[in-house]
Amino acid sequence: MDAMKMIRRTGLLLLAAFALTFTSLPAAAVDIEKVVSPGGIEAWLVRDTKNPIIAMQFAFAGGTERDPDGKLGLAIMTASTMDEGAGDLDSQAFQGKLDENSIQLSFSAGRDGFVGQLTTLRETKDTAFDLMRLALTKPRFDTEAVERIRGQLQTSLRRSQADPNYWAQMAFGETLFPGHPYGRPQRGTAQTLAAITRDDLVNFARTRLAREGLKVAVSGDITGEELAPLLDSLFGALPAKAELTPVANITAAAPGKTILVPRPIPQTVMILAHAGMDRSDPDWYAATILNYSLGGGGFSSRLMDEVREKRGLTYGIGSSLQSFDHANLVTVSGSTVNDKAAEAISVTKQIWGDVAKNGITEAELRDAQTYLTGSFPLQFTNNGAIAGLLLQVQRDNLGIDYLNKRNDLLNAVTLADVKRVAARLLDPARLTTILVGQPTGITPDGTLYKP
């Protein structure tokens, strides 16, 4: 991150801290307004006038999984360059204008989506929205900026390659999603980043950023009447439909296999995973409680208690549900010293199997419900967080009333529900294990990325 972006981010962090002091909304108080522009563009708005701040987040369909094979990293490189000059403003002038007005504008790309974020004071909103419109519709992609961003991405990639977690994620994708876009490196490689041209960036912005599938979320000091025409101004000039290459659904492969990435390090990084559950599945809320009790609840979880506290096999271990557009997973990740890796994995699988067979206890159910519902309002700490949450709810197709019914859905889950879902979801025999390090007592089924 260059100095100007760092300074602006620091300033906005101070604004966020100010907002945090005064903005803490209980979930039940969230009133979401659906705003539709004259041109038919929809946004969800939570109006908050306590602070003169406006946060907007928006997402276009399709992310890194749509990158061409020889251009991996294209979506991320485009996102990293779109705020480096637009319209008549070169990078320095564009960044200077953002800085002078304490405006934060950024873009990012991940699996399944291309996301933009804007935070501005109300008094500078006209400038902020105009700069965002320019970035979306008239990005410059000047040679100096493109080469500078390319260099930053390549440097970041080289640094990551010294991190065993990077290789764990690489092996994870390649093993569970072989031959699928999810199995490729999202950030690209040195070769594919070098192959991306300015024309590729221009073409990405021209063909991938479109109104169809666009999700917009806004929180802060702006009315629906003010926002509606702004939506047309910001997004109305974009093409109606994006040019998206199709991506097939895939079920996690290599069940029961163990893959080793050998590295001369004292600790073994481990990831275990098998197929999970779609976010739209009616059992999602029971699975959420199951995951919290199993490994998602930090020091309150079964895995942390058994693997760390009772046996001292790791500093930390946790589980998660991961639902993407084209695949679903339930995962466990952690690390352990090399000569304890076999025991740590064995205990993890024992607990996985025990919970699959017996479910969780009544006390674990109540603890999970209390935490998951009680901590929910903490996600509403500032306008940026609220806009992000609104955007995710839209992307998950949960409905505009979701925030106000979410806790009831969790509280309605019974012990029998969790036991049924545990039996359906968890199977230690299907867990694929990825190890990075020099684990002893383990014979892998395959090896990847030998140094």
Side-chain angles (χ1 to χ4, degrees):
M1 182 183 302
D2 60 37
M4 191 170 286
K5 288 184 179 180
M6 181 70 78
I7 292 169
R8 187 167 58 254
R9 176 163 295 184
T10 302
L12 285 163
L13 285 173
L14 293 174
L15 285 175
F18 173 80
L20 181 63
T21 305
F22 295 96
T23 304
S24 182
L25 304 175
V30 175
D31 182 16
I32 303 173
E33 177 184 357
K34 184 168 75 173
V35 178
V36 181
S37 75
I41 298 171
E42 179 180 319
W44 289 6
L45 167 66
V46 170
R47 192 176 181 212
D48 176 14
T49 60
K50 287 191 290 296
N51 302 294
I53 297 172
I54 301 167
M56 171 181 282
Q57 295 194 23
F58 51 93
F60 298 97
T64 58
E65 81 284 1
R66 314 275 179 164
D67 286 348
D69 282 338
K71 309 277 186 178
L72 298 182
L74 173 60
I76 289 175
M77 188 167 170
T78 305
S80 301
T81 315
M82 284 189 62
D83 65 346
E84 294 288 344
D88 294 333
L89 304 173
D90 63 14
S91 177
Q92 187 172 5
F94 192 90
Q95 290 290 324
K97 206 160 184 178
L98 292 173
D99 185 50
E100 291 165 8
N101 293 280
S102 295
I103 297 165
Q104 185 178 37
L105 173 64
S106 64
F107 299 90
S108 61
R111 277 192 184 125
D112 306 326
F114 188 95
V115 175
Q117 300 184 48
L118 175 75
T119 303
T120 180
L121 294 168
R122 177 177 172 80
E123 67 182 71
T124 55
K125 66 179 175 59
D126 292 341
T127 300
F129 287 125
D130 189 52
L131 290 171
M132 187 179 117
R133 177 186 59 79
L134 284 175
L136 283 170
T137 58
K138 297 180 180 179
R140 290 169 62 102
F141 300 122
D142 290 336
T143 299
E144 181 279 330
V146 170
E147 295 309 317
R148 174 164 44 81
I149 295 298
R150 189 197 313 275
Q152 291 174 0
L153 294 175
Q154 290 174 327
T155 299
S156 174
L157 192 60
R158 284 195 295 272
R159 287 176 178 164
S160 294
Q161 291 171 357
D163 183 352
N165 291 291
Y166 169 82
W167 294 109
Q169 291 298 328
M170 289 282 288
F172 181 81
E174 183 172 336
T175 302
L176 273 77
F177 304 122
H180 189 273
Y182 282 175
R184 306 177 307 176
Q186 294 185 77
R187 297 161 60 190
T189 66
Q191 292 73 28
T192 62
L193 287 173
I196 294 171
T197 66
R198 179 183 181 277
D199 286 346
D200 294 325
L201 304 177
V202 171
N203 189 58
F204 184 104
R206 181 179 62 81
T207 62
R208 295 281 299 276
L209 309 183
R211 300 194 304 275
E212 186 179 57
L214 171 67
K215 309 293 184 187
V216 184
V218 182
S219 177
D221 192 4
I222 187 170
T223 67
E225 290 73 21
E226 292 173 309
L227 178 60
L230 269 175
L231 295 173
D232 282 342
S233 172
L234 292 170
F235 304 109
L238 297 176
K241 293 188 176 183
E243 298 177 15
L244 298 175
T245 55
V247 176
N249 294 337
I250 185 171
T251 300
K257 301 295 184 183
T258 297
I259 304 299
L260 173 65
V261 179
R263 287 292 182 276
I265 52 178
Q267 294 252 333
T268 295
V269 174
M270 52 188 187
I271 305 177
L272 295 84
H274 62 49
M277 178 178 289
D278 192 87
R279 182 62 183 86
S280 64
D281 194 300
D283 280 332
W284 180 265
Y285 300 96
T288 298
I289 287 175
L290 169 67
N291 175 64
Y292 180 89
S293 301
L294 175 62
F299 285 97
S300 301
S301 73
R302 190 84 66 93
L303 282 171
M304 189 70 95
D305 185 52
E306 295 287 342
V307 182
R308 174 192 156 111
E309 297 299 320
K310 292 183 179 176
R311 295 174 175 83
L313 298 174
T314 180
Y315 285 113
I317 186 168
S319 66
S320 65
L321 299 171
Q322 299 180 13
S323 179
F324 306 110
D325 284 358
H326 306 286
N328 305 298
L329 295 170
V330 54
T331 69
V332 176
S333 60
S335 61
T336 184
V337 294
N338 287 324
D339 61 359
K340 299 290 186 182
E343 184 181 358
I345 291 169
S346 176
V347 173
T348 297
K349 290 185 175 180
Q350 288 173 24
I351 295 164
W352 202 264
D354 179 66
V355 174
K357 180 180 179 181
N358 301 309
I360 62 176
T361 67
E362 181 73 31
E364 287 173 324
L365 171 67
R366 297 305 168 211
D367 286 347
Q369 288 172 322
T370 299
Y371 178 83
L372 291 170
T373 59
S375 64
F376 191 49
L378 299 179
Q379 298 184 41
F380 298 80
T381 52
N382 60 66
N383 288 314
I386 294 171
L389 192 55
L390 294 183
L391 184 66
Q392 192 58 50
V393 171
Q394 291 183 75
R395 295 181 71 185
D396 287 341
N397 297 313
L398 300 178
I400 201 165
D401 60 343
Y402 169 75
L403 297 182
N404 292 327
K405 69 181 184 182
R406 178 232 187 221
N407 281 1
D408 290 339
L409 292 168
L410 287 167
N411 283 329
V413 173
T414 68
L415 204 58
D417 292 333
V418 179
K419 185 173 182 179
R420 172 177 52 77
V421 171
R424 170 191 165 193
L425 186 62
L426 305 180
D427 182 355
R430 287 193 297 137
L431 282 169
T432 303
T433 303
I434 306 295
L435 302 172
V436 182
Q438 302 177 103
T440 58
I442 294 175
T443 303
D445 298 292
T447 301
L448 288 173
Y449 308 121
K450 292 181 180 178

